[in-house]
Amino acid sequence: MTETALEARHLFKVFGRNPKQAVQKLKSGASRTDVQDAGTAAVIDASFTVNKGEIFVIMGLSGSGKSTIIRMLNGLHDITDGSVVVGGDEIAGVPASRLREIRRDNVSMVFQHFALLPHRTVADNVAYPLELKGVSKTARRAKADEVLAMVGLDGWGDKLPSELSGGMQQRVGIARALAADTEILLMDEAFSALDPLIRREMQEQLVELQEKLQKTIVFITHDLNEAMFLGDRIAVMRDGRIVQIGTPEDILTDPANDYVEQFVQDVDRARVLTASNVMERPRPVVAESAGPRTALRQMRDAYMSAAYVTGKDRKLLGMVTDRDAVKLVRKGEAALGSVIKPVPQSVSEDEVLMNLFVPAVESPLPLAVVDAEGRLVGVIPRITLLAALGPGPNSTEEITLPHLPVPQAEIDAVLGEADAATGEAAATEEEVR
Ligand SMILES: Nc1ncnc2c1ncn2[C@@H]1O[C@H](COP(=O)(O)OP(=O)(O)OP(=O)(O)O)[C@@H](O)[C@H]1O
Ligand SMILES: [Mg+2]
């Protein structure tokens, strides 16, 4: 069951002389430019729900209103109109003292430029929120060391922030937010100031950390690849409005409008799409219970020189080649068992395409995709993998077969010879499902 951590309903933020009047006009259909004289409409009618334990990304170009939204979620900006509910508490209109409590106890924030206190040690920076809570010095230090270890900064507690690299300083920022032990973390462009390689490393660390801690994270970015990599769901903003909310796959495969479509054009699909998004129906699939003749026929009809073999419940057992099947038929054997070979490579349904290239190259057959129970749910031919990466130079694929296929005439001959000899029942793929 999904529980709500945070909810924003019909949020408006107008900076300027007459915000309330601007909101009235916006509500009755005026555009952002129509209300310019009354103020800057930074956020217009934004509604969304963030579930407990999810990473909710707000993405949009510079000036689209992302920071303004996130600052309304923890009361750093007052709300012109609409409502924000955090852990059951309404934020709109509550006194400043209560907002400070909410920031201390419920919602922490990680900033783009780290916002570390330069004259305090790393550990003291991390422990700062605990100091505000009145936690004792020893307990603070213990907690600081614990969260520093979590972000990979074991032993750096006594250094000053200036002695650390940018990536490390941002990990201190994250550790500080974790020390506060709030359920919700707000991260505004938290990785944007970092070098691309460090940035990617931080993204991966955040995902790892999140798997362990299961916080609720609202993450802001203008980088689509970052959004797609981190987000369980993404809200796309444009000119103050949320134009689409969906999973990365939704947004990539079903953009709500031309704006989103243009935005996603150059996304790194390899990090977003998964095996299950591109897999095809496996063909042929030979049942373990089928004999070599059936297997051979199936391979011949599919123009394949090898096939996957499945057992009960479509569990992937291995593969068989036409050459081995021919041998069995010639020997008059009725069972496939002795020639089923292990499948060198298979991948899980939710593996991202980026991680499929090596297995695909090493796989003699179109790459097998299996579900959590080990059932063969699909295959990915190399050509499909390349095509899924979207518009690019046309690729001509070198198809490597597991071995030179047995010539068609030989297969026909061997099937003919053996027909009378074995009388094996021809189970079809459909029958054995
Ligand atoms: N304190 C403020 N006073 C007046 N206008 C503001 C204020 N803060 C933001 N704005 C305006 O509100 C709009 C949205 O700004 P916001 O900072 O939320 O955008 P953003 O999506 O976070 O952009 P960026 O990616 O550059 O951080 C902009 O037009 C901005 O100029
Ligand atoms: Mg911003």
Side-chain angles (χ1 to χ4, degrees):
M1 201 185 74
T2 53
E3 274 181 82
T4 300
L6 188 159
E7 186 168 13
R9 256 178 271 137
H10 302 295
L11 267 191
F12 286 81
K13 178 69 187 178
V14 178
F15 295 104
R17 284 177 291 121
N18 210 335
K20 290 281 177 193
Q21 188 197 38
V23 168
Q24 282 321 311
K25 286 187 180 162
L26 289 164
K27 280 185 175 172
S28 41
S31 74
R32 210 179 181 208
T33 28
D34 293 338
V35 302
Q36 239 165 11
D37 289 345
T40 306
V43 175
I44 305 168
D45 201 11
S47 296
F48 57 90
T49 302
V50 182
N51 300 320
K52 276 193 180 164
E54 84 171 328
I55 301 185
F56 186 84
V57 171
I58 301 177
M59 182 188 74
L61 299 176
S62 181
S64 58
K66 308 179 297 292
S67 294
T68 307
I69 282 202
I70 213 171
R71 291 171 150 265
M72 284 194 281
L73 301 182
N74 69 352
L76 285 175
H77 275 330
D78 62 358
I79 293 165
T80 310
D81 203 75
S83 119
V84 171
V85 176
V86 173
D89 282 338
E90 175 61 59
I91 296 250
V94 309
S97 57
R98 175 74 192 117
L99 289 174
R100 274 197 296 274
E101 280 173 18
I102 289 173
R103 283 199 290 274
R104 193 188 62 198
D105 300 332
N106 306 93
V107 189
S108 314
M109 185 133 166
V110 180
F111 299 89
Q112 176 173 359
H113 294 291
F114 324 144
L116 302 178
L117 301 164
H119 301 300
R120 286 170 159 248
T121 64
V122 164
D124 284 346
N125 265 284
V126 171
Y128 189 61
L130 301 175
E131 209 174 315
L132 295 180
K133 284 189 194 185
V135 175
S136 80
K137 199 164 176 190
T138 354
R140 281 192 328 244
R141 180 63 200 234
K143 183 72 185 180
D145 286 344
E146 178 196 326
V147 291
L148 279 170
M150 272 184 206
V151 299
L153 287 178
D154 230 344
W156 290 83
D158 295 319
K159 305 274 186 215
L160 286 173
S162 58
E163 296 176 83
L164 273 59
S165 70
M168 291 162 90
Q169 289 186 44
Q170 188 55 298
R171 282 191 254 157
V172 177
I174 294 171
R176 179 179 53 196
L178 294 178
D181 242 344
T182 58
E183 190 198 304
I184 300 173
L185 293 186
L186 306 180
M187 305 180 77
D188 189 354
E189 301 271 5
F191 302 151
S192 301
L194 305 174
D195 293 339
L197 286 178
I198 307 283
R199 183 171 181 165
R200 193 165 273 205
E201 217 175 86
M202 293 292 288
Q203 292 165 1
E204 282 162 10
Q205 273 198 6
L206 182 66
V207 168
E208 255 175 53
L209 208 54
Q210 171 66 355
E211 276 169 12
K212 270 187 251 153
L213 301 179
Q214 293 289 303
K215 297 276 183 190
T216 301
I217 299 176
V218 180
F219 192 102
I220 286 189
T221 182
H222 57 251
D223 180 313
L224 181 67
N225 286 315
E226 183 166 83
M228 295 268 169
F229 181 68
L230 292 177
D232 292 310
R233 286 184 308 140
I234 300 170
V236 185
M237 287 194 79
R238 180 191 194 180
D239 298 340
R241 295 178 192 272
I242 293 179
V243 293
Q244 184 169 11
I245 298 180
T247 64
E249 286 88 349
D250 290 341
I251 288 185
L252 197 57
T253 55
D254 190 18
N257 55 36
D258 290 351
Y259 176 77
V260 181
E261 192 170 342
Q262 276 189 4
F263 218 127
V264 300
Q265 243 165 20
D266 50 21
V267 70
D268 188 352
R269 282 156 200 269
R271 292 179 95 204
V272 179
L273 293 176
T274 61
S276 63
N277 293 135
V278 303
M279 68 191 183
E280 297 172 5
R281 190 161 172 260
R283 218 181 134 261
V285 178
V286 174
E288 185 195 16
S289 55
R293 291 171 38 72
T294 307
L296 203 50
R297 264 201 208 98
Q298 284 181 254
M299 285 185 262
R300 179 193 60 189
D301 295 349
Y303 298 100
M304 296 289 285
S305 58
Y308 287 120
V309 180
T310 56
K312 232 173 116 244
D313 293 337
R314 309 198 70 204
K315 286 244 165 66
L316 179 60
L317 295 180
M319 51 180 278
V320 63
T321 65
D322 57 358
R323 187 186 287 173
D324 286 340
V326 163
K327 280 186 199 150
L328 290 185
V329 173
R330 288 209 164 118
K331 279 196 258 172
E333 275 188 39
L336 266 185
S338 62
V339 297
I340 298 175
K341 294 189 174 113
V343 176
Q345 284 288 352
S346 67
V347 296
S348 82
E349 296 173 282
D350 49 12
E351 197 61 75
V352 290
L353 300 194
M354 187 173 71
N355 296 337
L356 302 186
F357 288 98
V358 173
V361 167
E362 289 173 355
S363 174
L365 275 169
L367 188 57
V369 182
V370 294
D371 68 9
E373 275 79 50
R375 286 186 290 247
L376 179 66
V377 290
V379 295
I380 305 178
R382 258 170 269 168
I383 191 91
T384 305
L385 189 54
L386 292 173
L389 295 179
N394 278 343
S395 57
T396 43
E397 191 194 24
E398 286 274 315
I399 298 172
T400 15
L401 295 167
H403 59 88
L404 281 178
V406 177
Q408 197 73 23
E410 190 182 339
I411 292 179
D412 288 341
V414 86
L415 285 173
E417 285 162 21
D419 254 344
T422 65
E424 169 196 317
T428 67
E429 194 186 340
E430 252 53 53
E431 279 169 342
V432 296
R433 281 246 164 90

